[in-house]
Amino acid sequence: MASQQFMLRIGAVVSLCSTVAYAVDAYFPKYYHLGAEPTIDGLQSYDRSSVTLDEHNSVLTLDYTTEVGGWPWVELESPSSPVQIQLKYSEPFDGLELPQGDGPWLYCNGLMNSFRTETFNITDSGTTQSFFLQGGLRWQSITLIGNTPITIRNIGIKPSVTISDPATLPGSFSTSNDMYEQVWSLGARAVEAACVDAGSQPSTWEISDEGALIRGQYPAVSALASSFANYTLEFSTKITAGGTGWRVAGGANGGYGAYFVLTSNKEGLESSNITSLAQNSLIAGYGFTLIDQAILPSAPSETYPVSTVIKENEWYSIKTVINATGYAISVNGQDIAFVGNSNFESYINGAWGSGSLTEGNFGFGPYLNQQAWYKDVKVTAQNGTVIYQQPFTSTDILQEYAVASNEYAVCLDGAKRDREVWIGDFAHTGRMIAASSGRYDYIKSMIEFEFDWQYPPGPAHGLVPIQAYMGAGADYREVYYPSEFGETDYQFFFLLVLSDYFALTGDKDTLSKNWDGLKLLVQTLVDRYYDQGSGLMASADASWFSAQGSQNATAPTALFVVALNQLFEVATAFGDSDTASTWSQLSTNITTAINDSLWNENIGAYSLSLAQPDDTAIMATAFTIRAGIASSDRVTSSIARLSDVFLAIGYKDSSAASNSASTQLSPNTQGFLLESLFLAYTKYNVSVDVVIPAIQNLSEVFWPKMVTQNEYFTGASWEYLYQDGSPGIGIFTSLSHPWGGAPTYIFSNYILGVRTEWNAQVKSYEWVFAPAWDIAEGLGLGWARGRVPLSTGGYIEAEWNTTSKGEKPTMSATVVGNGNVKINVIERL
Ligand SMILES: *[C@@H]1O[C@H](CO)[C@@H](O)[C@H](O)[C@H]1NC(C)=O
Ligand SMILES: *[C@@H]1O[C@H](CO)[C@@H](O)[C@H](O)[C@H]1NC(C)=O
Ligand SMILES: *[C@@H]1O[C@H](CO)[C@@H](O)[C@H](O)[C@H]1NC(C)=O
Ligand SMILES: *[C@@H]1O[C@H](CO)[C@@H](O)[C@H](O)[C@H]1NC(C)=O
Ligand SMILES: *[C@@H]1O[C@H](CO)[C@@H](O)[C@H](O)[C@H]1NC(C)=O
Ligand SMILES: *[C@@H]1O[C@H](CO)[C@@H](O)[C@H](O)[C@H]1NC(C)=O
Ligand SMILES: *[C@@H]1O[C@H](CO)[C@@H](O)[C@H](O)[C@H]1NC(C)=O
Ligand SMILES: *[C@@H]1O[C@H](CO)[C@@H](O)[C@H](O)[C@H]1NC(C)=O
Ligand SMILES: *[C@@H]1O[C@H](CO)[C@@H](O)[C@H](O)[C@H]1NC(C)=O
Ligand SMILES: *[C@@H]1O[C@H](CO)[C@@H](O)[C@H](O)[C@H]1NC(C)=O
Ligand SMILES: *[C@@H]1O[C@H](CO)[C@@H](O)[C@H](O)[C@H]1NC(C)=O
């Protein structure tokens, strides 16, 4: 193997990886197939013996059977002449049938390969490993390009996360209906795939005295330039493979915008038909990258032949001048193209980009399979003032460009996508961790991360980030406000995370360290978003995820009450009675407002919002139950109305959503509903007959879709589903998304019955073993057993068995390996 730009020998890669320990050295495929195209049928067991690809059998399909993540590598025999092979990755099988796999996707490069294909140029025997990690996949293919046969001796993925067999985790759950255990496992696997240890995801840029070496990936944009407009960008670049790429007028949010690639005069690696780029040309596009993916459009790329010869391994200086009609590009002082911007106009997207063709930041990143050096970046404003200058020779720039190795252990929203720290998702994730992997350190680290980023005085004072990049830094947080604050109620979900963490751990140290920050956050939310007129949460600069954007809505307002009620307990346990009393009064006041203005007697449910009184919404139902706002009668009535929003396999978010094939069913929002159905029975005296049909629909119809369809199965929970049971959104839907895995904690908490509960007498939380007996019986479950990990070590092991009708069930609960924890066993009456 000679000069391999996109791969490294195994030995050389060690320095890239942190000292994080993984449970396995490699993930290996379990099955394979050799043929002319990818196939899901008739796979053979893979025993790591040699496989030869040739012109008749040019496609090797590999199946890891469940989600894995890390650095792909292949060990090969020396070919008779240099051979290129294309590797492709996907979560669903059908991604292997598309030229671009199941990518590309939104936002940042997420410290992983931005692409789902890559090409290796093989000249020698040995192991070739990708420079980039792949965050999550089940399927892989290797396609031989050309006719020279090549023999693969071994193949695998070096871990960037430990994804264990859920049966081996500290937490566990099983019951007499095996499907419940399989559904429980989905969330257990998803959190392992999406939570990453500090320093485990290396920077995708390499910095040296010579500049920054950047391999083909989404351009990463500077955090210092989002307010720049009508500027001139200059930099030096040296192509070492294929081409170099940069962007201008990009958004703060990942940099969606104008994108330019300058290719060398040398033939590049084959990319099997995903936008093959002409040599010695300027290619201009607009979007996240050049690939036009059905659900993530990019402007058709334009090619401008360049008359100057662009050689590899030579430095060139490139200048881009933005003006009202386009971008004037010159190389070494010679104009090579003026790219008019009129074809880009219809691709302007205010949510992703800057919303303008002349304004927004700049960034660097070559296209697929390319590689280039960058240095001496300079930006000049229209009036001639130099507004940015950076030699690109210090690692100090990595956080500015959001490509630094992750400073904190964090949980991402999904293993492959978006790889952002969406704090709202973590309301489920944190509790799933507590029930399965027991990695309480991730929850604590997420809390510390959020408070480290909490905004100082300024326009966002007191808020915490809702979609931070793990590769960015708190020093640059101002830039991300307000563009990355599109879901106001994610701040409320963070309040749940904090109080859930305290309920599960009693960790007063973490709490006291962040107590002032927490009070500031609550006060900020009240000051900014509490509408004195309606007594509900509403503000022109707020957007409510849990109410599909509607103002003065039930769900986000009730969610805030849930958070205040939990925080009341936390403040009480913490001994801050003044704060406890303020939060409790506020909760009472908001409760009254919801109860008075949002109950619709005619439909028998809480309305979606003041403006949509005749619509019902599952989160409005879920959070009014959990907040203790609804009376038992109202809960009963609103649960009965759930049938109105049941669509083939699951519940749509609200009655305002259409019944079309493209309506997305969210396991995230249905997770909140599922817990509230249990609470309706355990806390609010609602008859078991009322809740069983809906619990059954969720547990035995909806979630099993993630278990029973081999073509989409990853063993992990999904982001969205369509009503036909296929992944929602489309090809890039995350099929390993913790927000879709709530049954993992709900089954452990209510069916097994082990959870913490507030004990008002002693003003603290205690562990209880209190199964929801009548629900379990209604679901036909005769026994359950499992373990719940404890934050201070050890676990609770519990088991119950309904021996025969009429007799009390047998129950046993033991605290293993932790003398400080007691469990209160509550027998069936
Ligand atoms: C592949 O490697 C060979 C040997 O180093 C080299 O001659 C050839 O140019 C490379 N091909 C590409 C497309 O980089
Ligand atoms: C490659 O792209 C061309 C042009 O879009 C198309 O005609 C051809 O069928 C594609 N080939 C493959 C192998 O997908
Ligand atoms: C933008 O620059 C191009 C190339 O220099 C020039 O032809 C065009 O007139 C300029 N447009 C405006 C509005 O200045
Ligand atoms: C940049 O130029 C455009 C087009 O001439 C103009 O509309 C815009 O106001 C300018 N922006 C700034 C911040 O100067
Ligand atoms: C020139 O433009 C920059 C950027 O818009 C601005 O910050 C600076 O104050 C201006 N300088 C002068 C002298 O007008
Ligand atoms: C919320 O409702 C109140 C009372 O009806 C109204 O005054 C206010 O404008 C509403 N807020 C928003 C942001 O729509
Ligand atoms: C709750 O409402 C009462 C009565 O309107 C008011 O006096 C009190 O200040 C409110 N408390 C909070 C925390 O909003
Ligand atoms: C909400 O209103 C219902 C119906 O009037 C009432 O029964 C219930 O107690 C109220 N909830 C609270 C928490 O006050
Ligand atoms: C449960 O699903 C069935 C369809 O299988 C549906 O008719 C029914 O309305 C759902 N029940 C509830 C309570 O949502
Ligand atoms: C539920 O029933 C119990 C016992 O009858 C009663 O103490 C409690 O107040 C009721 N709770 C609600 C929310 O109705
Ligand atoms: C539950 O109890 C029944 C009757 O004693 C017994 O046959 C069965 O094996 C028990 N199940 C489990 C899982 O322990």
Side-chain angles (χ1 to χ4, degrees):
M1 192 188 75
S3 62
Q4 296 312 317
Q5 286 102 1
F6 292 93
M7 11 167 170
L8 301 166
R9 285 184 183 271
I10 288 285
V13 96
V14 168
S15 62
L16 280 175
C17 306
S18 70
T19 52
V20 173
Y22 298 102
V24 291
D25 294 332
Y27 300 112
F28 293 108
K30 303 251 172 52
Y31 297 96
Y32 79 101
H33 180 270
L34 189 58
E37 54 195 30
T39 179
I40 188 170
D41 298 318
L43 304 183
Q44 287 171 263
S45 223
Y46 178 70
D47 61 3
R48 298 165 64 186
S49 47
S50 292
V51 180
T52 299
L53 277 69
D54 59 29
E55 59 184 309
H56 306 294
N57 290 298
S58 59
V59 179
L60 178 64
T61 304
L62 299 161
D63 179 7
Y64 291 85
T65 70
T66 54
E67 188 84 357
V68 295
W71 290 268
W73 54 263
V74 276
E75 187 192 331
L76 298 140
E77 275 174 22
S78 190
S80 56
S81 58
V83 170
Q84 293 182 33
I85 52 173
Q86 191 200 40
L87 293 85
K88 191 182 288 182
Y89 315 98
S90 187
E91 282 181 341
F93 173 76
D94 53 356
L96 293 186
E97 293 169 330
L98 293 171
Q100 74 272 17
D102 63 348
W105 29 70
L106 302 163
Y107 310 128
C108 57
N109 58 34
L111 303 182
M112 68 172 277
N113 200 332
S114 312
F115 302 104
R116 293 293 256 180
T117 67
E118 60 186 322
T119 303
F120 289 174
N121 184 18
I122 308 296
T123 59
D124 210 347
S125 66
T127 298
T128 301
Q129 177 171 301
S130 178
F131 170 80
F132 291 110
L133 67 88
Q134 291 289 340
L137 62 120
R138 169 184 162 183
W139 295 94
Q140 182 180 354
S141 67
I142 298 187
T143 303
L144 176 70
I145 296 169
N147 299 332
T148 309
I150 188 150
T151 297
I152 296 175
R153 283 203 205 115
N154 201 353
I155 189 155
I157 292 183
K158 182 184 164 66
S160 56
V161 283
T162 295
I163 309 175
S164 323
D165 176 349
T168 66
L169 292 172
S172 66
F173 172 81
S174 52
T175 186
S176 50
N177 180 342
D178 177 58
M179 182 52 81
Y180 282 74
E181 180 178 347
Q182 294 187 60
V183 168
W184 184 94
S185 299
L186 298 171
R189 193 177 264 111
V191 294
E192 284 222 298
C195 295
V196 299
D197 288 315
S200 66
Q201 316 293 296
S203 176
T204 53
W205 287 17
E206 292 168 284
I207 309 289
S208 75
D209 293 346
E210 257 203 275
L213 174 60
I214 309 180
R215 295 149 197 269
Q217 59 190 282
Y218 277 20
V221 293
S222 168
L224 298 174
S226 52
S227 64
F228 288 10
N230 302 309
Y231 53 84
T232 295
L233 168 70
E234 292 168 273
F235 61 95
S236 295
T237 186
K238 179 170 81 174
I239 298 168
T240 46
T244 185
W246 67 100
R247 89 154 78 250
V248 295
N253 193 351
Y256 180 95
Y259 179 43
F260 306 102
V261 175
L262 180 68
T263 55
S264 75
N265 69 339
K266 192 170 167 255
E267 198 174 342
L269 293 164
E270 290 289 336
S271 62
S272 109
N273 237 8
I274 333 175
T275 317
S276 304
L277 304 186
Q279 289 170 41
N280 217 90
S281 301
L282 178 82
I283 294 93
Y286 192 91
F288 282 108
T289 179
L290 300 174
I291 297 172
D292 185 30
Q293 199 227 55
I295 50 176
L296 193 63
S298 297
S301 59
E302 300 164 11
T303 300
Y304 300 80
V306 171
S307 51
T308 322
V309 175
I310 306 295
K311 293 187 183 146
E312 297 196 355
N313 300 308
E314 264 186 37
W315 285 100
Y316 292 88
S317 56
I318 296 188
K319 183 169 169 179
T320 305
V321 185
I322 304 174
N323 76 13
T325 49
Y327 314 93
I329 294 165
S330 60
V331 174
N332 287 349
Q334 241 180 308
D335 293 343
I336 57 162
F338 178 74
V339 177
N341 61 20
S342 57
N343 293 338
F344 298 162
E345 242 158 60
S346 59
Y347 291 86
I348 293 176
N349 182 321
W352 294 335
S354 69
S356 153
L357 296 168
T358 55
E359 296 170 18
N361 56 19
F362 58 86
F364 304 97
Y367 187 61
L368 176 67
N369 291 331
Q370 300 179 339
Q371 175 184 283
W373 287 88
Y374 297 81
K375 67 174 182 187
D376 300 333
V377 177
K378 185 169 118 183
V379 179
T380 313
Q382 229 166 5
N383 63 12
T385 307
V386 173
I387 49 177
Y388 182 92
Q389 199 151 21
Q390 176 53 257
F392 261 48
T393 50
S394 158
T395 52
D396 291 351
I397 63 172
L398 296 177
Q399 286 197 337
E400 177 194 333
Y401 286 86
V403 289
S405 180
N406 60 312
E407 201 178 344
Y408 282 85
V410 287
C411 294
L412 307 169
D413 59 326
K416 75 169 186 195
R417 215 209 80 231
D418 306 311
R419 291 178 69 81
E420 291 190 6
V421 186
W422 284 104
I423 197 63
D425 300 36
F426 199 71
H428 287 311
T429 312
R431 292 179 66 189
M432 288 154 64
I433 289 171
S436 60
S437 70
R439 290 291 305 272
Y440 288 93
D441 57 313
Y442 282 131
I443 315 178
K444 185 175 165 187
S445 178
M446 287 286 279
I447 291 169
E448 284 170 351
F449 177 84
E450 289 293 307
F451 280 119
D452 182 19
W453 277 67
Q454 188 174 28
Y455 281 70
H461 186 204
L463 297 177
V464 294
I466 64 153
Q467 63 172 118
Y469 302 140
M470 64 175 153
D475 291 351
Y476 301 99
R477 69 197 137 195
E478 266 85 1
V479 156
Y480 304 114
Y481 183 84
S483 68
E484 297 191 16
F485 281 76
E487 316 284 13
T488 308
D489 36 358
Y490 276 30
Q491 309 275 333
F492 303 168
F493 286 119
F494 178 57
L495 299 176
L496 294 189
V497 168
L498 273 162
S499 45
D500 288 340
Y501 173 74
F502 184 73
L504 287 160
T505 65
D507 176 359
K508 285 194 176 160
D509 287 348
T510 299
L511 201 65
S512 63
K513 227 168 71 187
N514 298 300
W515 191 246
D516 291 341
L518 168 59
K519 286 198 293 183
L520 171 64
L521 174 57
V522 175
Q523 195 53 49
T524 301
L525 297 173
V526 172
D527 294 347
R528 293 183 65 135
Y529 307 119
Y530 179 44
D531 183 302
Q532 301 286 346
S534 64
L536 305 169
M537 302 312 281
S539 162
D541 77 340
S543 176
W544 307 103
F545 166 83
S546 61
Q548 298 88 50
S550 195
Q551 296 285 354
N552 283 309
T554 302
T557 307
L559 170 61
F560 192 47
V561 175
V562 173
L564 288 169
N565 293 350
Q566 293 192 182
L567 288 173
F568 161 78
E569 295 167 355
V570 173
T572 303
F574 194 58
D576 185 343
S577 53
D578 288 351
T579 303
S581 142
T582 308
W583 289 347
S584 145
Q585 267 188 46
L586 189 59
S587 160
T588 305
N589 290 1
I590 301 176
T591 292
T592 306
I594 294 175
N595 230 357
D596 291 351
S597 60
L598 285 163
W599 176 258
N600 182 328
E601 193 60 49
N602 296 330
I603 53 172
Y606 286 92
S607 306
L608 193 154
S609 66
L610 292 183
Q612 287 173 262
D614 296 329
D615 280 314
T616 63
I618 61 170
M619 278 187 285
T621 298
F623 295 136
T624 47
I625 296 173
R626 186 161 160 199
I629 294 168
S631 59
S632 166
D633 287 352
R634 286 187 172 185
V635 176
T636 302
S637 165
S638 48
I639 292 175
R641 300 314 298 255
L642 285 172
S643 303
D644 302 350
V645 291
F646 192 79
L647 192 54
I649 58 159
Y651 299 95
K652 49 183 190 169
D653 280 351
S654 81
S655 57
S658 83
N659 287 346
S660 79
S662 62
T663 292
Q664 289 160 13
L665 301 173
S666 166
N668 173 51
T669 60
Q670 291 176 79
F672 294 116
L673 178 63
L674 181 60
E675 180 171 35
S676 287
L677 293 168
F678 279 93
L679 290 172
Y681 165 77
T682 59
K683 280 180 105 165
Y684 302 110
N685 299 345
V686 168
S687 152
V688 69
D689 304 333
V690 171
V691 299
I692 290 287
I695 293 178
Q696 214 147 22
N697 279 350
L698 290 167
S699 308
E700 298 176 20
V701 178
F702 183 67
W703 260 282
K705 295 290 171 205
M706 306 179 203
V707 172
T708 56
Q709 305 179 86
N710 184 40
E711 65 271 45
Y712 308 125
F713 177 80
T714 61
S717 49
W718 302 355
E719 187 180 16
Y720 284 107
L721 281 76
Y722 288 131
Q723 59 169 304
D724 68 358
S726 66
I729 316 181
I731 186 67
F732 77 16
T733 308
S734 170
L735 300 183
S736 182
H737 222 64
W739 90 346
T744 301
Y745 66 86
I746 296 172
F747 291 172
S748 292
N749 291 172
Y750 301 98
I751 294 179
L752 179 62
V754 176
R755 60 183 179 271
T756 58
E757 287 209 339
W758 176 245
N759 182 332
Q761 268 82 53
V762 297
K763 296 185 177 165
S764 84
Y765 290 95
E766 64 180 11
W767 284 97
V768 299
F769 177 27
W773 294 114
D774 294 336
I775 293 180
E777 192 175 280
L779 297 172
L781 304 175
W783 57 265
R785 70 167 157 255
R787 286 188 307 266
V788 175
L790 296 165
S791 66
T792 46
Y795 53 86
I796 294 167
E797 181 142 53
E799 178 167 359
W800 60 259
N801 188 346
T802 310
T803 43
S804 64
K805 260 206 160 20
E807 271 179 57
K808 274 194 185 176
T810 59
M811 288 176 85
S812 79
T814 327
V815 180
V816 179
N818 194 325
N820 299 321
V821 170
K822 301 272 168 295
I823 181 157
N824 184 5
V825 180
I826 299 170
E827 289 193 23
R828 188 171 197 175
L829 294 172

